[in-house]
Amino acid sequence: MMSAGKVLVLHGPNLNLLGTRQPEIYGHETLDDINNSLYEKAAINGWDIACRQSNHEGELIDAIHAARQDGTVAIIINPAAYTHTSVAILDALNAFDGKVIEVHLSNVHKRERFRHHSYVSLRADGVIAGLGSQGYHAALDALIKAS
């Protein structure tokens, strides 16, 4: 059982373009819209949340490493394209002791075959795909209910 604490939300490459990039796949909400709604939900439930986006693999890994030391109890991660390519992100997540929930806006299993494999899923305690931005809320709800 986990108590209320700090959650790190990591958004991978190109997610800074949400709202304008392929809205037929990713929707019309911006990354700020998603983050602001998560900040609000976390605050209402007594949780601390930090949201970060990077187009650079090393910055995502550095954030995961920092989470090991700063009291973070869980990571919600949408690794985007790094889902299918990054053993380095998997290794960083394997060194993190808290919960990990993998989120994807689209249903990656309905897309190109190369998107069907996730390195991150090998570490994730849960995977949510295809719910749009509600997937992030489902992940946070799961953490809150487990506390």
Side-chain angles (χ1 to χ4, degrees), residues 84-97:
H84 323 293
T85 64
S86 184
V87 173
I89 289 175
L90 170 63
D91 287 347
L93 290 169
N94 280 334
F96 176 73
D97 290 331

Side-chain angles (χ1 to χ4, degrees), residues 26 31 44 47 50 54-55 96 99 105 114 118 125 140 143:
Y26 301 110
L31 190 60
I44 289 168
W47 286 66
S54 181
N55 295 317
F96 176 73
K99 292 278 187 187
L105 295 165
F114 72 86
S118 169
D125 297 293
L140 186 54
L143 294 171

Side-chain angles (χ1 to χ4, degrees), residues 15-16 26 29 46 53 62 69 81 101 112 121 132 135 142:
L15 293 173
N16 56 304
Y26 301 110
E29 284 181 287
Q53 186 277 329
D62 288 344
Q69 305 297 320
I101 301 178
E112 303 93 339
S121 291

Side-chain angles (χ1 to χ4, degrees), residues 86-145:
S86 184
V87 173
I89 289 175
L90 170 63
D91 287 347
L93 290 169
N94 280 334
F96 176 73
D97 290 331
K99 292 278 187 187
V100 174
I101 301 178
E102 178 182 356
V103 172
H104 297 283
L105 295 165
S106 68
N107 181 352
V108 293
H109 302 288
K110 286 181 70 176
R111 298 185 63 197
E112 303 93 339
R113 181 170 282 291
F114 72 86
R115 295 187 195 275
H116 299 181
H117 178 266
S118 169
Y119 284 103
V120 172
S121 291
L122 296 171
R123 167 56 178 92
D125 297 293
V127 179
I128 301 167
L131 298 180
S133 65
Q134 289 306 305
Y136 289 101
H137 288 273
L140 186 54
D141 284 340
L143 294 171
I144 291 167
K145 287 181 181 170

Side-chain angles (χ1 to χ4, degrees), residues 8-21:
L8 174 62
V9 179
L10 288 177
H11 307 283
N14 299 309
L15 293 173
N16 56 304
L17 301 177
L18 285 178
T20 60
R21 174 184 170 236

